[in-house]
Each structure stands twice: as structure tokens, then as C-alpha cells.
Amino acid sequence: MPSYTAPTKDMSFLLHEVLKAEKLEIPGYDELEPDFTAAVLEEAGKLANEVLTPLNVVGDQEGCRLENGVVYTPSGFKDAFEKMKEGGWTGLDMPEEFGGQNMPVLLGTAVGELFSGANQAFTMYQGLTHGAASAILAHGTDEQKATYLPKMVSCEWTGTMNLTEPHCGTDLGLMRTKAEPQDDGSYKVTGQKIFISAGDHDMADNVIHLVLAKIPGGPDGIKGVSLFIVPKFNVNEDGSVGARNGVSVGNIEHKMGIHGNATCVMNYDEATGYLLGDMHKGMRAMFTMMNEARLGVGMQGLAQAEAAYQNAVEYAKDRLQGRDVTGPKNPDGPADPLIVHPDIRRSLMDQKSFVEGGRGFLLWGAQLIDQAHRAEDKEADGLISLMTPVLKGFLTDQGFDMTVLAQQIYGGHGYIEEHGMSQFVRDARITQIYEGANGVQALDLVGRKLAADGGKPIMAFFELIKSYCKEQNGDEMKDFIEPLKEASKHLQAASMYFMENGMKNPNNALAGSYDFMHLFGYVCLGYAWAQQARAALDALAAGATDATFYETKLTTARYYMARRLPATGMHLARIESGADTVMALDAEQF
Amino acid sequence: MPSYTAPTKDMSFLLHEVLKAEKLEIPGYDELEPDFTAAVLEEAGKLANEVLTPLNVVGDQEGCRLENGVVYTPSGFKDAFEKMKEGGWTGLDMPEEFGGQNMPVLLGTAVGELFSGANQAFTMYQGLTHGAASAILAHGTDEQKATYLPKMVSCEWTGTMNLTEPHCGTDLGLMRTKAEPQDDGSYKVTGQKIFISAGDHDMADNVIHLVLAKIPGGPDGIKGVSLFIVPKFNVNEDGSVGARNGVSVGNIEHKMGIHGNATCVMNYDEATGYLLGDMHKGMRAMFTMMNEARLGVGMQGLAQAEAAYQNAVEYAKDRLQGRDVTGPKNPDGPADPLIVHPDIRRSLMDQKSFVEGGRGFLLWGAQLIDQAHRAEDKEADGLISLMTPVLKGFLTDQGFDMTVLAQQIYGGHGYIEEHGMSQFVRDARITQIYEGANGVQALDLVGRKLAADGGKPIMAFFELIKSYCKEQNGDEMKDFIEPLKEASKHLQAASMYFMENGMKNPNNALAGSYDFMHLFGYVCLGYAWAQQARAALDALAAGATDATFYETKLTTARYYMARRLPATGMHLARIESGADTVMALDAEQF
């Protein structure tokens, strides 16, 4: 069975030595003292390691089942969910008035990685609840907040997001689910939604569905979509759970992975719903928390890569196979461990440099969300909006690739389900698809975010990298700054190409959007690694006791610069080849 | 349910317009007239499309089961296997004296892709039989050949290859299975083998296991390994099936994919075996057909990519979602088909340019095998030995990536098992692992093949590309030749780097082996695309009626040059960064 150890040490390093969170002028960050965050991460890590990890394989093997309209989660999930509730984890970054602890998103993201790395399918029940609660918090009436939030923050009730229908996912303007207004101000919601994560289950007293639907007579397309609160059980005046609403589970999907999560077909049959936010502004309401939600999916991709990497390292150290070409390293044994072989290390270093660099990028993104919301910093808001598709698309694409690399280290043993390496691959795969497929992220990035606010955010990003490079001009940082400069030039050249050629034909930009997203991601990880190298150099200069930790950081940063960052040139070349060869064929020529 | 259409037209183009097979001076190639190959491919295509394709999903969903020692294949497999036997497909390239048709490997490879693309798990029962029969053909005594080959060529009996044991896969010197000599010249084979594809089943009267084992008292390690024929049922003097041998199935593995194939744990308990080939030369005997077997796995990776691509194209044409940014293409419909979107095309073109370029590479490899064996051409033998790890490693790595791209086009519908896209990904994944994991292919390429025969094969390869580029110096070929030259220079620079730095420290070469394998693959596909462009230009100049086919080839070749080939620069940069950052960490630092 695969193991998982919460990477709390790396998180503490990033929070306090790289981001220096407790010193940032963001409301609430003063509470993030190292001792405090260490205690929180330790507690979360305990839940992750001891409770959630052992259930990961159980969830994969048993899956969820639907019997007589009731969804049953895998053995052990219910007890674990009780422990999740007891810890109050869903409320970590929720307002105190609804039972939360009002901690920054930064800390919530670190904790989220621990849970997700231990058991993605399980953690989604809580994650979706958090998302739905956030939407109610942002758009609900006082009454709605009072009715739903305390129960959702405590996870007594869970939440879902209902967007997709059989014929539409990305293009929600095609939606058919309708909501008929009733005399009492409520609506009757009717339609079918698919791919509803955590759609139903046996771990909570109620499920609060947020459902996108059209009010008849409203505007066509996406402009006529509104958001509704549709509880599984109606809620009585006194807040207790009442009669069953017209909501039922049509089916549980058979998926490639995340078997422990009940991905449901949800049928709404004149179900009572309540408008959440403004009429016809459903998309806006649903997407208020989009940056956070997408960052959360990027986190999931990273978390699976971390978990898979940990197991690959253990296997590479244990499994004896072949001899070190420069001389035996385990001369008394029948063979040397896999880890002596250069190509095994190439794979492990690819994984390690992604996981730790990606985590730096992720936590920086989370910090920007706090800065935008808590400090009402407009530049941070622009920056995180720009980087959100990169956080989602790059971390999940690479996260998936890394789980494949980790699985490969096991050889044939990785392909059989016994060792759990296949599950990491299968679970990570969904992160590239949901919450906006990665192609849609790339479209958002190049089609919308690049030009947003007159291009201010992207200029601010370039300025940030440029001034960092200027500031870090010492010899000791040269190995990191020079490659970062070069990669950043590639990103600028790509933006320039879009500006010059996208006007003529938008396809010139869109045909390069996916490569741009990756190019951007490589630069962000380059920046994250330069920062980590800086912090490591500082710690070593200050005579840190744990020199090995910092030296490892420096070596991994060097690896990233030498072996990962050169991908930017390839992406630029693809981008600069334009749309011609991409768009030349008629549909029938494929 | 996913569909599959045998890509026979592209195969005919490659066989006759690119390779010009019927004109090559290789014994037997004169029979490969276009009408003949078209008839063979059509017949194979019919079996693939009509019989094997519908069983692909059945095999995935039902899997194989072991009941009271008997292995049952999925519903319909047995009937389909009868049809496979009736067609005599296993014997296509086997000698006539054993019931075969003595066709070149070239044609066998094309046919193999059709079967594999339709149903990989099913086709493996036949493929393993072919492999085992080839080993008996190469190393068996006349009596052994007479006993086993006619039945295996007809697939009345099937075959397996038994190498892996629980504690050793790549490093077979650690093997524990032993073979005790008996007075009658036979051996008693005892031990456990794992991951035995097509290990047992209910579709044939006997299963002929080829088993690697050690004769006690022989040399240590790999030099003491011999190869044995161990039939499931002993064979009577008259050739009929006799009593059960000491062979049993311990278990069927639960795997990520190829569920329709029974991957077995095989237990040998004093089973009667017969030495095949020379004592202690088992590895050599097992690997005689290695080039062919590994090319066959490369073919499987390609075949899955082709099948997945076909379905992705259909979905992209059918699924209405969003609007063409340059103006609606389906104004009367609620939305445009996915295929209007540049990023969808980027993905489809990546797939198309891989599949068709890869097929050109594959068939060229198959032709070289024929040239080496049938024409006893030493240069061809050197070249195919050099390129075999590239054919295996590159085509399966990229083949897998392409199935992921194809799945991604389906969005959420790709993640649920209903559409079958997940199966392509899960089935393709094994091709990167078995028949020598791809890291081992890279090691073989850089650690062995590059320096083989004083470097003659690699020099011959460079010379081949160079002279082709010189020959194709017309303006019309410039778009293809210039990028190919550039990529070939990268490959030469990488080889030079290995020569100059590998002596000092072999890790400098081995740390770049994986990138070298990919760099090599990109160049080979570049060459394949240049050749296809040449053939397309020739056909158009000759006034071909099907101009669209050839124009599509030219566009796809341009896409490959502009968007795929630039990867070579990245791989070179990774290679030239050497072993330092790869090897710097101690095992404990991971």
C-alpha cells in the first residue's frame, strides 16, 4: 500500500523563509507565526497521514454505490468525515461568525494540499462544501447565510456545484435546466445535471446544491443563467432538516479515478430552490470564487505528484536491480538499489524539482489571493487573475506527468493496482479536466487575461521578474538568475508575438495559447526556485543547523534551471509558428 | 462506444509511395504489389473493425477470471480467436513449411497495427504466440520445431514468454527459477514467474511457455540462465495433447489496463521442460527476436494513439460547444463544433502528425528488419539495432501522451469510462513498461547501441539524413529539409557531447539517455515526414486524383516541422547540462 508523509517541513520553509508570511502587511498574516503554522500543519498532517491515507486505496477499490436512491461511500469514509468535522477544517479560512477561524487562504491552501495528497477523492467532499459555502458567503442574503453557513462550515451539511449538463460543459449558455418562479419567492427547479462531484453521500445530514438554471423568459444564452440554492432536504423554519426535496441521484458515473468520490447524475424534478445573488447573474455568482477554486485544483495536481513522488523515492531506494555503472554501491547485496541509476535520478529530480517549485508557485498564488481580498490590493488582484489559469493548467498537466514518471519507476509493479501507483495517475488525471479543462484555462489566459486592464497585470508580472533579477545580481545567484532572465525573455517574446499577430488574426494567439500557459508556468517555477535558492543561501550564510536541507534546495534549484527551464524555448518556437499549420486543414481532412 | 477504422489508406501510401516496397531488392518484396497488400490489409481491416473492435470495451469491462485453476477470457474472445485462427494471421510472416505464408515483417507489422489498434489486449494472445514461435524457429531442434511450430503458427496452441520474477525484472541475473536436469534429457523446472501476458486462457488446446531458469551449478548471474520450453500439457509422441504438466496459474493481476489479457502469476512445480537453444545462453535465445518484439511494442503505442485520435476527431466534429472566434461556423446550430477552436486543432494536429509520422518510422523499421534478415544486409542490421530502442521508447511514450490528448478533447466525458477514451490511455500505458521499460531502452541506446561496432550504425544514420537532405535540395522541399537538418545537428551535438564527456564519467551520457532517445525519435519522425512530403509532392506533380490526401500530408508535415521538431533543442540543452545536477544528491536527500 502506498504511503504518504505530510510535507510540512517544506511548507514551513516556503511560508516563513521564502514568503516570510508573518512579516507581510496583509490583515491576519501577523497571526501566522512559525510556531502557530507548524502546529496547524502538524495537526492537519496527523489527520492526513493517519486517517485519510489508509482510506485512499479503500476508496479506489470499493468506490461508491447507489442503492434504492441512497449513495453509500466506501468503508471508513464516514468515520473519517467525523474526524474532519471535529477538527473544524472546513472553517479554517471561514469567518468566525459562522464558526470559522478566519485564517488566510495561504494557510488553508497548505492544509488543503495535505488532505488532498493523502486522499483526493475523500477531500473533495469537504472541498466542494467549502466552495459552495464561499458562494453563499459572497452572494447570500443574511437569512441564507444564517440558514446554511453554520452547518456547512461545520460540515454537518455538505455542498455541491451543479453546472454541467449532458450536452454542455464549457458552453453553459446551452443550458436547459429551468427554474420557474413561485408565488412565495422560491423557484421550482427542473432539469438534469451531470458530473456532480460529491453529489450525494451518507456522511452528512443534508446536501446543499448550488444549481445553475434558466428562469423562463430571461435573456438567451449565458446571460439568462441564474444560481439557485437547492437543498436535498428542505430546511424548516427552526433550521432543522425537513422533508425531502425533488432532488434525486440518477446514477453514479464510472470513472477512470477518484472512485471514492460520488460523481453523480443529479435529477431535479420541480425541486424547491432559492435564488442566490442576482437574477441572470448566475455565472458571476458561481465564479466569484473562481481564482480560489482553480488554484485549489492546481493544488490537487501538485498534491498527487507529491504523493506519487514520495512512493517512487522509497521504491527507488529499496528495489535492488542492476549495478551502478561507476562501481557497486551495495557490494554485499545481490544488486544496487534503483536510485544509483542516472535515469532513475533524472526522473526523480524532474519530480522533486516540480513538486517543490510548484508548491512555491502555489503558495505565492494563495498569498496573492489574500493580498487581493484582505489588503484590497488591486495589483495583487490583477496578478492572481492573470496567473490563475497557469496555476490550474500548468500544475495539473505537470502534476499528472509526474505521477506517470513516478509510476514508471516501479516498472511492471507500477502497472498493477497492488502498489497504488496507478491510482495516483488515474486520480491526478481529473484535475486537468474539471473546473475548466486546461484548454479552456489557456483560452482564458490568452484570450482574456493577457489583455485585461490594458495589459497591466502582465506588465506587472514582467516588471516583478525584472526587478527581482536586478536585485539578485550577486555572483552566488547567477546560476539561477541568468536562466530565469532567459526564460522570461521567451515569455515576453511570446506576448509580443500575440500582440503583433493576434490583432490580424486572433487564431495566431489562440493557436499558441496552450504553449503560452506552459511557458508561463515554467517561468513562474523558475521564479519560485530562484526565491528558494535565495532563502537557502541566506540560511546557510546565517549558519543554519540543517545545512543539508538548504544544500538540497540549491542542488534542486540548479537542476530545475538546467533541465526544466529550457522547455521555454520550445514553447516559444511553437507559438511563433502561428496559426497557419494549425488551422490549415478542413474538418474533413482530419 | 469508441469506434475504429483500419487506417489502410495511409498504410498503402507508406508502403508503396514512400518506401516503394515492391521495388526494393529484398527477397520476397517483389510479392508486395499494391493490389496484393491492399487485399491483405482490407481483409485484416475487416477482422479488426468488425470482430476485434466491438470486443475491446467488453474485454476492459469484464476482464479475465480465474476459477478453480482455469482462466476464462471475456465474452466473445473465444469466437474471435477462432476467426483469427481461420484467417491464418499468426503465420503471415512464418515459414511455409510450418503453415505460414512467409510474408515480410513489413506486412506483418502493418497488419499487427490494425489488430492492435482494434483490441490490444486480445491481439496480445496472438502476438505472444508469434514471439514464442519465433524463438523456437530460431533456436529449436528440428524435432522441437516439428512438434510445436505447426500448432503455434495456426494458433491451436499459444505461447508465452516467462522472464520476470517478483524480485527481478530488468536484472534477470537475480533469477531464482531453477531447472534440474533429468536422465532423459529433460528438466524439472521449479519457480515462480510474474506478469506473464496471455499466461493462460480458454482459447487454445495448449499453452507453450518459454521459461528462463537456472541450471544448478551453472555460472552465477545472467550467464547461468537458460531457456526452456514448458508446455501446459505434455505433448504425446503423436503430437497430441497429453497429461497436465506441473504448471499452474497462481493469480491474475489486477492492472490499470489491458484487462482482456490474462496477466498471470505462473507457478512451476517440477514441471517438465526442454532446453531451447544452448545451455546458459538463455538470454541470447530469448532476445534473438528482440528487435522485432520491441518494434512490435512501439507499434502498439502507435496503434492506441491512432485509435484514440480517430475518436477524438469524431467527437471534435460532433460536439457543439462555443463559437469560432473569427465568426460562427454553424450559425444555424446552437454552437459550433469543437473542431473550430484553435486549441482543439493544436491537439488534433499533434496527434495526427505523430500518428502518421510515427507510422512512417515504424514501417521503415520493419523494412530494415527484413533487409537485415532476408537480404542479410549488415548495415541495415546495425541501423535497426540502433533504432530499436527509439522505436520502442519514443513511439510508446508519445503514443501514450497522444491518448491523453485525445481523452482531453472529450472533457469530462473522457474521464468517465462510458466513452472508452480512458481505456486507450490505460491500455497504452503498459507499452511504456513491458518488453524493457523505456528507461532501459534509453540505457540500451546510449550505453550500448551508440558505441556498437565502433559507432558505425550511428554514423550511418547521420550519413543517411545528410545525404537525403543534400539530395532533396529543391525549393519545394525547403520547409521540410531545413528543420530536419537543424534537428539532426542537435542529435549530432548530443552524440558528440556523450563521446567527449562519457569517457570522463559514464553518468554524463546516461543522465542524458532518456532525452537522447526522444531527440532521436523526433529526428526519425522528421525524416519520415520529409519522405512523406516528398511522396506527396511527387504524386501531386503527377496529377494524382486524390489531391486532398496529398495536400493534407503536406500540411501535416509542415505542422510537424514547425511545432513538433523544435523539441530537439530542449532535449539537447538537457543533455548538455550533464550529470552534475542529476547525480548530486545523496539518496537520503530525496
Side-chain angles (χ1 to χ4, degrees), chain A residues 362-382:
Chain A
L362 176 78
L363 294 180
W364 177 38
Q367 178 233 299
L368 286 172
I369 289 179
D370 286 326
Q371 203 169 332
H373 293 173
R374 292 178 169 240
E376 295 181 14
D377 181 327
K378 274 202 69 173
E379 189 176 312
D381 192 49

Side-chain angles (χ1 to χ4, degrees), chain B residues 97-98 136 139-149:
Chain B
E97 63 174 306
F98 300 115
I136 294 174
H139 300 284
T141 61
D142 287 345
E143 197 194 326
Q144 287 172 335
K145 290 186 200 174
T147 304
Y148 300 105
L149 288 183

Side-chain angles (χ1 to χ4, degrees), chain B residues 496-550:
Chain B
M496 194 62 75
Y497 176 85
F498 289 157
M499 272 170 56
E500 285 169 2
N501 298 278
M503 292 295 227
K504 228 172 12 193
N505 178 358
N507 286 343
N508 278 324
L510 298 182
S513 59
Y514 212 87
D515 285 281
F516 189 79
M517 181 173 76
H518 276 255
L519 172 43
F520 207 149
Y522 276 110
V523 172
C524 289
L525 259 64
Y527 178 52
W529 269 119
Q531 290 178 300
Q532 293 186 46
R534 175 74 271 165
L537 287 168
D538 290 347
L540 287 168
T545 48
D546 190 3
T548 306
F549 178 82
Y550 298 106

Side-chain angles (χ1 to χ4, degrees), chain B residues 35-58:
Chain B
D35 284 353
F36 173 71
T37 62
V40 172
L41 294 175
E42 196 195 321
E43 204 55 40
K46 213 183 277 178
L47 182 63
N49 296 340
E50 295 170 13
V51 179
L52 307 191
T53 298
L55 292 177
N56 196 36
V57 171
V58 175

Side-chain angles (χ1 to χ4, degrees), chain B residues 100-401:
Chain B
Q101 295 169 66
N102 202 30
M103 283 292 121
V105 169
L106 178 62
L107 190 58
T109 302
V111 166
E113 191 205 313
L114 303 184
F115 295 156
S116 222
N119 195 327
Q120 179 176 332
F122 175 87
T123 304
M124 285 169 66
Y125 292 101
Q126 191 245 109
L128 269 299
T129 306
H130 186 280
S134 297
I136 294 174
L137 184 64
H139 300 284
T141 61
D142 287 345
E143 197 194 326
Q144 287 172 335
K145 290 186 200 174
T147 304
Y148 300 105
L149 288 183
K151 303 273 184 165
M152 293 174 80
V153 166
S154 69
C155 259
E156 283 168 89
W157 299 353
T158 66
T160 72
M161 304 290 223
N162 291 240
L163 291 81
T164 306
E165 299 184 5
H167 61 290
C168 67
T170 300
D171 189 354
L172 291 169
L174 304 176
M175 186 174 293
R176 289 179 195 146
T177 298
K178 59 173 198 248
E180 307 261 9
Q182 305 298 305
D183 293 342
D184 64 355
S186 72
Y187 291 79
K188 292 276 177 225
V189 177
T190 301
Q192 189 179 64
K193 296 287 181 177
I194 63 170
F195 304 157
I196 308 308
S197 297
D200 202 0
H201 55 85
D202 54 357
M203 305 191 295
D205 299 334
N206 204 355
V207 181
I208 310 306
H209 301 288
L210 299 195
V211 184
L212 285 177
K214 285 185 171 177
I215 300 169
D220 279 348
I222 202 71
K223 288 176 186 156
V225 169
S226 305
L227 184 59
F228 298 89
I229 298 174
V230 185
K232 174 178 171 184
F233 293 101
N234 291 311
V235 180
N236 298 324
E237 291 277 330
D238 65 356
S240 64
V241 165
R244 183 75 188 235
N245 200 354
V247 186
S248 61
V249 177
N251 198 9
I252 299 180
E253 303 285 5
H254 294 96
K255 308 182 300 289
M256 185 177 181
I258 51 166
H259 295 160
N261 198 277
T263 306
C264 298
V265 173
M266 299 299 306
N267 292 323
Y268 295 90
D269 185 12
E270 300 204 336
T272 302
Y274 308 94
L275 186 67
L276 177 61
D278 295 335
M279 192 180 285
H280 307 324
K281 304 283 185 207
M283 292 303 289
R284 196 188 295 173
M286 185 62 108
F287 283 136
T288 308
M289 297 294 138
M290 186 165 68
N291 288 348
E292 217 175 310
R294 292 186 168 177
L295 178 127
V297 176
M299 175 271 278
Q300 291 178 332
L302 179 79
Q304 290 307 300
E306 164 75 38
Y309 164 71
Q310 287 186 13
N311 286 279
V313 168
E314 286 316 305
Y315 193 77
K317 285 182 190 171
D318 284 353
R319 175 86 172 171
L320 304 180
Q321 208 79 176
R323 287 291 183 191
D324 187 333
V325 70
T326 63
K329 288 287 174 295
N330 175 34
D332 300 334
D336 289 340
L338 282 180
I339 203 164
V340 305
H341 302 299
D343 189 59
I344 295 289
R345 281 175 178 261
R346 181 265 320 161
S347 167
L348 291 177
M349 290 300 293
D350 276 356
Q351 294 171 57
K352 183 175 175 65
S353 64
F354 166 71
V355 166
E356 296 177 18
R359 183 175 295 124
F361 180 33
L362 176 78
L363 294 180
W364 177 37
Q367 178 232 299
L368 285 173
I369 288 179
D370 287 325
Q371 204 169 332
H373 292 174
R374 292 179 169 240
E376 293 180 18
D377 180 327
K378 274 203 72 173
E379 189 176 312
D381 192 48
L383 212 48
I384 188 60
S385 293
L386 171 71
M387 296 194 327
T388 289
V390 184
L391 281 158
K392 199 279 184 181
F394 185 75
L395 292 183
T396 60
D397 276 357
Q398 296 256 320
F400 171 75
D401 286 350

Side-chain angles (χ1 to χ4, degrees), chain A residues 303-325:
Chain A
Q304 290 307 302
E306 164 74 39
Y309 164 70
Q310 287 185 13
N311 286 279
V313 168
E314 285 316 304
Y315 193 77
K317 285 181 189 171
D318 285 354
R319 174 86 171 172
L320 304 180
Q321 207 79 177
R323 287 291 184 191
D324 187 332
V325 70

Side-chain angles (χ1 to χ4, degrees), chain A residues 166-171 174 194-195 253-258 309 313 317 319-322 325-326 334-335 339-340 342-343 345-346 348-350 352 400 404 407-408 411-413 415-417 422 425-427 429-430 432-433 437-439 505-507 510-511 514-515 548 552 555 558-559 562-564 566-567 570 573-574 577-578 581-585 587 589-590, chain B residues 166-171 174 194-195 253-258 309 313 317 319-322 325-326 334-335 339-340 342-343 345-346 348-350 352 400 404 407-408 411-413 415-417 422 425-427 429-430 432-433 437-439 505-507 510-511 514-515 548 552 555 558-559 562-564 566-567 570 573-574 577-578 581-585 587 589-590:
Chain A
H167 61 291
C168 68
T170 300
D171 188 355
L174 305 175
I194 63 169
F195 303 158
E253 303 285 5
H254 294 97
K255 307 182 301 290
M256 186 178 181
I258 51 166
Y309 164 70
V313 168
K317 285 181 189 171
R319 174 86 171 172
L320 304 180
Q321 207 79 177
V325 70
T326 63
I339 203 164
V340 305
D343 188 60
R345 283 178 175 258
R346 181 264 321 162
L348 291 177
M349 290 300 292
D350 275 357
K352 182 176 177 63
F400 171 74
V404 173
Q407 181 190 29
Q408 186 74 14
H413 294 276
Y415 195 67
I416 59 174
E417 295 291 350
S422 158
V425 174
R426 292 183 290 96
D427 286 1
R429 185 71 184 89
I430 190 58
Q432 300 173 282
I433 297 172
N438 286 355
N505 178 358
N507 286 344
L510 299 182
Y514 211 88
D515 285 282
T548 306
T552 305
T555 299
R558 281 205 176 84
Y559 181 91
R563 291 213 158 223
R564 303 295 296 168
M570 176 190 70
R574 281 173 61 104
S577 78
T581 61
V582 180
M583 303 305 290
L585 297 185
Q589 288 178 276
F590 279 92
Chain B
H167 61 290
C168 67
T170 300
D171 189 354
L174 304 176
I194 63 170
F195 304 157
E253 303 285 5
H254 294 96
K255 308 182 300 289
M256 185 177 181
I258 51 166
Y309 164 71
V313 168
K317 285 182 190 171
R319 175 86 172 171
L320 304 180
Q321 208 79 176
V325 70
T326 63
I339 203 164
V340 305
D343 189 59
R345 281 175 178 261
R346 181 265 320 161
L348 291 177
M349 290 300 293
D350 276 356
K352 183 175 175 65
F400 171 75
V404 173
Q407 181 190 29
Q408 186 74 14
H413 295 275
Y415 195 67
I416 59 174
E417 295 291 350
S422 158
V425 174
R426 291 183 289 98
D427 285 1
R429 185 70 184 89
I430 189 59
Q432 300 172 282
I433 297 171
N438 286 355
N505 178 358
N507 286 343
L510 298 182
Y514 212 87
D515 285 281
T548 306
T552 305
T555 300
R558 282 205 175 83
Y559 181 91
R563 291 212 158 224
R564 302 296 297 170
M570 176 190 71
R574 282 174 61 104
S577 78
T581 62
V582 179
M583 303 304 291
L585 297 185
Q589 288 177 276
F590 280 93

